[in-house]
Amino acid sequence: MPEATVARLPLYLRVLTALGESGVHTVSSDTLAAAAGVTSAKVRKDLSQLGSFGTRGVGYEVGILLECISAELGLTEDRSVVLVGVGNLGHALAGYGGFHARGFRIAALVDADPSRVGERVGEVVVRPVDELEAVIEDCQVTIGVICTPAAAAQHVCDRLVAAGVTSILNFAPTVLSVPEGVDVRKVDLALELQILSFHEARKRPSPGPPAGAVAGGRGPGPGATVDDEAGEVVRMTRRVVPPPSRVAPDVPLPAVAHGGDSE
């Protein structure tokens, strides 16, 4: 199955779950596409990867499609998750109730700060980072979530992998190096904000460059000619024009004696 399709399946699942809870039994590809923010053709193509479920003129059975997508995503069984780094972000994630509703159980919380150890977040008590490997084994952890500072993330990742965790969600602002067979999904909130800033900046017209300016913020320099259409310097020659002579052109200039000053 294409990775792009896999990335869209959770969108469909979220929409189908809301429809099912509202008592809706069938849904068209157009309705599903509008709710998921894609085209109906893409919905039909994605769902065809799972088999033939739709009926022309009727649509898709919400319950059947829910079961199929949940099975494809491996959500028919609970996944135990260990979260490493119970700072502000980690604390918020640990308290998020939506994970459990989607089949993910925060089985353990681990932190290197002694002041955090023993703190209770929901029903889970924070344990020291020295117990990470034991926590993974005791709780049968299959997914690790890293919310540590960037400097500690790779070391934590290495310990998770060595303990048998092969699926990692990384919130630390760094790129992790993992061996083949380990899947890492990176969530960089600052990067997402920077991308939004890029698009926001282009919603407002920016003032044009000053007259005569060229790329790099510098003017064309003395004697340069700028092509108005291309916006680039096309000639950099310099012509020196001598000052006009004060002597009439018909009057010969007096000879100057070598070695002496003229009067």
Side-chain angles (χ1 to χ4, degrees):
M1 183 177 293
E3 285 293 326
T5 298
V6 174
R8 286 189 290 268
L9 289 182
L11 295 177
Y12 305 146
L13 186 66
R14 181 177 62 191
V15 174
L16 290 166
T17 300
L19 291 174
E21 292 174 350
S22 301
V24 177
H25 300 292
T26 59
V27 60
S28 67
S29 59
D30 290 335
T31 301
L32 193 55
V38 296
T39 64
S40 57
K42 187 159 292 182
V43 168
R44 292 190 293 271
K45 183 177 180 180
D46 287 343
L47 297 183
S48 69
Q49 301 282 340
L50 307 176
S52 300
F53 300 101
T55 303
R56 185 179 295 275
V58 177
Y60 299 92
E61 291 285 342
V62 171
I64 294 176
L65 205 51
L66 267 172
E67 293 178 2
C68 183
I69 294 178
S70 296
E72 192 68 30
L73 292 174
L75 301 178
T76 53
E77 57 182 279
D78 288 341
R79 302 285 181 184
S80 296
V81 178
V82 59
L83 190 151
V84 185
V86 194
N88 293 333
L89 177 59
H91 198 281
L93 292 172
Y96 175 56
F99 290 139
H100 182 73
R102 289 166 173 78
F104 300 96
R105 181 174 63 92
I106 303 295
L109 301 172
V110 175
D111 199 281
D113 185 355
S115 65
R116 290 281 188 181
V117 174
E119 179 182 349
R120 180 178 293 273
V121 182
E123 299 180 355
V124 184
V125 175
V126 179
R127 297 173 63 173
V129 72
D130 294 341
E131 299 179 7
L132 178 59
E133 288 77 9
V135 164
I136 293 172
E137 182 178 358
D138 295 344
C139 300
Q140 298 182 332
V141 169
T142 58
I143 298 176
V145 178
I146 298 178
C147 297
T148 66
Q154 184 62 58
H155 179 61
V156 169
C157 176
D158 293 341
R159 291 180 62 182
L160 289 170
V161 172
V165 175
T166 58
S167 296
I168 296 173
L169 182 61
N170 177 33
F171 283 90
T174 186
V175 177
L176 299 177
S177 176
V178 296
E180 186 176 355
V182 176
D183 295 308
V184 175
R185 299 286 297 179
K186 178 174 174 54
V187 181
D188 191 330
L189 301 179
L191 183 146
E192 298 299 330
L193 286 173
Q194 288 169 346
I195 293 174
L196 286 176
S197 176
F198 169 86
H199 293 293
E200 184 66 22
R202 275 144 188 79
K203 294 175 186 175
R204 297 176 173 82
S206 57
V214 295
R218 293 177 296 179
T225 301
V226 177
D227 185 336
D228 290 336
E229 293 186 4
E232 60 186 14
V233 177
V234 295
R235 182 168 59 83
M236 291 297 291
T237 57
R238 182 178 182 183
R239 180 184 177 191
V240 179
V241 180
S245 173
R246 297 180 180 274
V247 182
D250 294 334
V251 180
L253 295 174
V256 178
H258 293 289
D261 295 330
S262 59
E263 295 180 356

